[in-house]
Amino acid sequence: MTCDPRALGQILLETTSLTEEALETALAVQQERGGRIGEILISQKLVAEEEIFKALSLQLNIPYWEEIADGGVDLEVLRTVPINFCKRHILLPLKSEGEIVQVAVAEPLDLAPMDDLQLLLKKPVQAVLARPSTVMHAINRSYDLISETTEQMVEDLHEEELDLLTTELEEPKDLLDASDEAPIIRLVNSILYNSVKQRASDIHIEPFEKELVVRFRIDGVLYDMVRPPKRFQSSTVSRIKIMAGLNIAEKRLPQDGRIRIKIGGKDVDIRVSVIPTAHGERIVMRLLDRTQVLLRLEEIGLTGQKLEQMRKLIRMSYGIMLETGPTGSGKTTTLYAALSEINTPDKNIITVEDPIEYQLKGIGQIQVNPKIDLSFARGLRAILRQDPDVIMVGEIRDLETAEIAIQASLTGHLVLSTLHTNDAPTAITRLVDMGIEPFLVSSSLTGVVAQRLIRVLCPRCKEPYVPTDEELEELGVERHQLQNGHFYRRGKCQKCSETGYLGRSGIYELLMVDDEIQNLILKGSDANVIRRAAIGKGMTTLRQDGAEKVVAGQTTVQEVARVSQDVAV
């Protein structure tokens, strides 16, 4: 089977907006450099990939599939074909049609793999055309359905195979390819794979007197996942230590490490923390999906007046804006969204972080490293010699960092940073408690954003109900404010793993530092006085912002009560 470039080009002329002039130019490039005409047209952004595949379908008389549904794959047929083979050749056996097996292919002119597959299946095969991304996604989904569960792997563990545990870790490979490893290795791989599949942010491996518990934190809440036998505790811990490059002989001291793996085509970075406890070493792993798309400000829960105020703060030419909240409240995500919005070629933006969670194009990012005495303060001092317009400091932890950040904001730089306080007004008094003079705080601080993350109701299974008077009172909502007279509560469905929630959003408290707030700071007023003044000027508290999201049907009363508290004014 051959593909005539000019014949393919003629079909594209008839079915797309491609011009004859552009086609002739692409054919000339192919004549000079070689390669495929379709790839050249795509690289020059003259034709979309999907249009190329539709044209190929017409030229080769092969059906084109835009997507491959889960029900379109016969799992029994799939069990006879190794996943490595499918991924290497970007093909996937689908269903038997009589004596013929349909096969989705992205390379229809590569006939050798089809011949091999025919021998493997012992049946004739027939190609259907699909884009590479469609085929790869279907491969990962389909092989996931026939893979062993973590519980099955626990049952397969055998004591005599534990000596295989210390196999050296090679260059990171896709865990879905690792089907021939020792049981302990497969168990750890399965835990990692399922954590990514279930959108977990953390994995906890917790030893107790008579059991070992593995828990995932999903949307901010911990769930028990599996309980491997206690006798495999040391082997599991050792395997994770090897992957993280830690000392497996040291069991008395805390250790920190990193793992970089691929799961289903996704690059995942894992921060590993190991601490000694009374019943053995306890491991917590923080997962970071490097392929995750950065969110915009309007996608993280900021709406209306708060969104406009936030945009005003991050577009100022100088001053310091603080993000506050406990660990895991989404502060860094909000700052990244802010940086992405103001990241233009005319601005020099530099950050100092611990760790660098996302690589931001066009922004200089410094990783804090205590081992070589590269602290936030030292990194920030160095940044000021790099002619920055905008500076982001991952966290203000001490007086030295706070002083340099404030001096930077007073000398014509916009500084974004985070601080660990429970609400926005308390951030002001925290800076003063650190030792910063009130007049410096009042003249440099432009705004403080406090935030929490709440779980969002699954849109497929959420259920309407009429709230009680107690629930309305808890949120400070009047019944006439309700949309259609009801709130929503969680249901159960497969899409949300029967939790009732799917994803998270932020609730925010945004304090703008105006003349009145500056005067209160200069007078040394406490956080309660500042809070009352800010609310009098229109600031909504975390609880009030959460109530708005309950009324809008995005979350539940219980979820808002879990992450926020009613503050007396």
Side-chain angles (χ1 to χ4, degrees):
M1 188 185 292
T2 59
C3 176
D4 180 2
R6 191 165 288 279
L8 179 64
Q10 190 60 44
I11 295 172
L12 290 168
L13 287 174
E14 296 169 1
T15 58
T16 71
S17 58
L18 182 69
T19 64
E20 289 193 18
E21 183 181 0
L23 175 61
E24 290 303 325
T25 302
L27 288 168
V29 171
Q30 184 196 32
Q31 189 78 22
E32 180 183 344
R33 302 179 189 171
R36 297 179 178 179
I37 186 64
E39 291 174 352
I40 293 169
L41 290 168
I42 292 169
S43 67
Q44 294 179 348
K45 298 184 178 178
L46 296 170
V47 178
E49 183 185 49
E50 186 172 18
E51 292 174 325
I52 293 288
F53 274 82
K54 286 180 178 178
L56 267 175
S57 169
L58 292 171
Q59 184 185 18
L60 302 176
N61 196 26
I62 297 175
Y64 170 69
W65 286 21
E66 289 187 12
E67 58 180 36
I68 300 170
D70 288 338
V73 181
D74 186 337
L75 300 183
E76 290 306 312
V77 172
L78 210 59
R79 290 180 198 279
T80 62
V81 183
I83 187 174
N84 300 8
F85 178 84
C86 292
K87 285 192 170 185
R88 190 182 312 121
H89 301 295
I90 318 180
L91 56 78
L92 179 67
L94 301 172
K95 281 187 172 181
S96 296
E97 295 286 342
E99 288 300 310
I100 297 174
V101 178
Q102 283 188 322
V103 181
V105 297
E107 300 284 351
L109 303 178
D110 191 0
L111 300 179
M114 294 291 280
D115 292 338
D116 294 339
L117 188 62
Q118 192 162 285
L119 289 172
L120 198 59
L121 297 174
K122 298 176 182 175
K123 282 186 176 182
V125 295
Q126 184 180 63
V128 299
L129 200 57
R131 287 179 295 164
S133 58
T134 303
V135 177
M136 291 300 289
H137 186 52
I139 290 171
N140 289 330
R141 278 200 332 266
S142 302
Y143 278 91
D144 172 33
L145 292 172
I146 62 172
S147 64
E148 289 181 287
T149 64
T150 306
E151 288 83 357
Q152 287 172 322
M153 291 189 177
V154 170
E155 293 173 6
D156 289 344
L157 291 172
H158 297 291
E159 195 79 62
E160 62 269 21
E161 292 176 301
L162 298 186
D163 60 330
L164 297 175
L165 169 72
T166 53
T167 305
E168 285 297 318
L169 190 69
E170 300 172 356
E171 183 68 21
K173 61 181 179 180
D174 198 315
L175 293 190
L176 289 178
D177 295 343
S179 58
D180 55 348
E181 304 283 11
I184 282 287
I185 297 175
R186 288 193 290 123
L187 171 65
V188 172
N189 287 353
S190 175
I191 290 171
L192 294 175
Y193 170 65
N194 280 294
S195 67
V196 173
K197 178 185 172 186
Q198 298 188 40
R199 304 177 295 105
S201 60
D202 302 83
I203 304 169
H204 292 234
I205 299 178
E206 303 166 342
F208 297 102
E209 185 178 2
K210 295 181 179 178
E211 62 182 351
L212 181 67
V213 178
V214 177
R215 299 196 288 171
F216 291 172
R217 187 178 293 280
I218 302 170
D219 292 335
V221 178
L222 282 168
Y223 296 91
D224 276 10
M225 302 309 297
V226 68
R227 294 173 182 256
K230 177 73 174 175
R231 66 182 184 275
F232 300 124
Q233 176 181 315
S234 60
S235 304
T236 304
V237 170
S238 295
R239 174 59 187 167
I240 293 170
K241 282 184 170 182
I242 288 170
M243 295 177 76
L246 302 179
N247 182 356
I248 62 171
E250 180 55 76
K251 300 183 179 182
R252 302 163 300 169
L253 295 173
Q255 295 187 71
D256 295 317
R258 286 177 178 270
I259 302 173
R260 185 177 178 185
I261 56 172
K262 262 192 172 181
I263 300 178
K266 292 182 176 181
D267 275 320
V268 181
D269 273 353
I270 303 173
R271 298 206 308 264
V272 181
S273 171
V274 183
I275 61 169
T277 67
H279 300 294
E281 290 176 288
R282 188 179 193 275
I283 295 177
V284 173
M285 294 183 275
R286 167 65 58 88
L287 280 72
L288 179 66
D289 182 357
R290 301 181 68 88
T291 61
Q292 191 173 344
V293 178
L294 275 176
L295 299 173
R296 299 193 301 273
L297 286 174
E298 57 267 27
E299 295 173 327
I300 60 176
L302 281 165
T303 57
Q305 185 185 18
K306 288 190 184 71
L307 181 59
E308 296 307 313
Q309 289 175 330
M310 183 71 163
R311 284 180 167 149
K312 180 181 176 182
L313 287 173
I314 64 177
R315 283 183 168 82
M316 289 183 174
S317 56
Y318 62 88
I320 181 166
M321 188 200 83
L322 292 177
E323 270 278 343
T324 75
T327 302
S329 60
K331 300 187 298 294
T332 305
T333 300
T334 301
L335 288 182
Y336 278 149
L339 289 179
S340 297
E341 182 146 324
I342 61 174
N343 182 18
T344 54
D346 62 324
K347 282 190 174 71
N348 180 21
I349 304 175
I350 308 179
T351 74
V352 53
E353 307 170 58
D354 183 25
I356 297 172
E357 294 192 11
Y358 298 97
Q359 300 285 344
L360 300 175
K361 188 176 180 181
I363 293 177
Q365 296 172 270
I366 299 172
Q367 169 70 57
V368 167
N369 190 344
K371 293 179 181 177
I372 57 172
D373 196 29
L374 178 53
S375 62
F376 280 114
R378 191 170 182 180
L380 181 52
R381 198 177 284 111
I383 286 173
L384 291 173
R385 297 192 287 271
Q386 290 281 317
D387 185 32
D389 296 299
V390 181
I391 300 166
M392 186 187 99
V393 183
E395 184 184 343
I396 293 179
R397 294 177 179 171
D398 51 49
L399 176 60
E400 185 183 11
T401 308
E403 285 179 335
I404 301 169
I406 284 177
Q407 289 299 332
S409 71
L410 291 172
T411 53
H413 305 90
L414 176 62
V415 180
L416 312 180
S417 190
T418 70
L419 198 63
H420 283 286
T421 61
N422 289 325
D423 57 24
T426 310
I428 295 171
T429 54
R430 175 63 58 83
L431 289 173
V432 175
D433 290 343
M434 278 184 175
I436 303 294
E437 293 292 339
F439 76 90
L440 288 174
V441 176
S442 67
S443 56
S444 61
L445 196 62
T446 58
V448 185
V449 182
Q451 73 176 81
R452 300 288 189 278
L453 290 178
I454 54 169
R455 292 181 291 174
V456 176
L457 282 166
C458 175
R460 179 179 291 180
C461 65
K462 67 179 184 180
E463 304 169 349
Y465 77 101
V466 178
T468 64
D469 292 338
E470 289 77 12
E471 288 177 316
L472 293 173
E473 185 180 349
E474 185 172 14
L475 293 183
V477 174
E478 299 291 336
R479 197 169 290 277
H480 67 81
Q481 295 175 270
L482 305 187
Q483 296 180 1
N484 302 319
H486 58 246
F487 284 169
Y488 284 89
R489 60 187 167 207
R490 61 180 183 167
K492 287 184 178 181
C493 72
Q494 190 174 2
K495 184 178 180 181
C496 60
S497 302
E498 300 192 346
T499 63
Y501 296 101
L502 193 65
R504 289 190 287 178
S505 180
I507 57 173
Y508 298 89
E509 178 177 285
L510 201 159
L511 170 61
M512 300 292 287
V513 180
D514 58 11
D515 291 343
E516 183 181 343
I517 302 296
Q518 285 179 337
N519 288 331
L520 291 174
I521 296 171
L522 286 170
K523 291 177 185 176
S525 302
D526 65 22
N528 289 326
V529 174
I530 294 171
R531 182 184 298 107
R532 282 195 292 270
I535 290 173
K537 288 179 163 291
M539 182 186 85
T540 54
T541 64
L542 289 165
R543 175 61 66 93
Q544 289 169 335
D545 194 34
E548 290 176 10
K549 289 179 168 59
V550 173
V551 171
Q554 296 175 23
T555 190
T556 62
V557 177
Q558 295 75 19
E559 189 63 13
V560 172
R562 181 179 69 86
V563 301
S564 68
Q565 61 184 15
D566 196 12
V567 179
V569 180

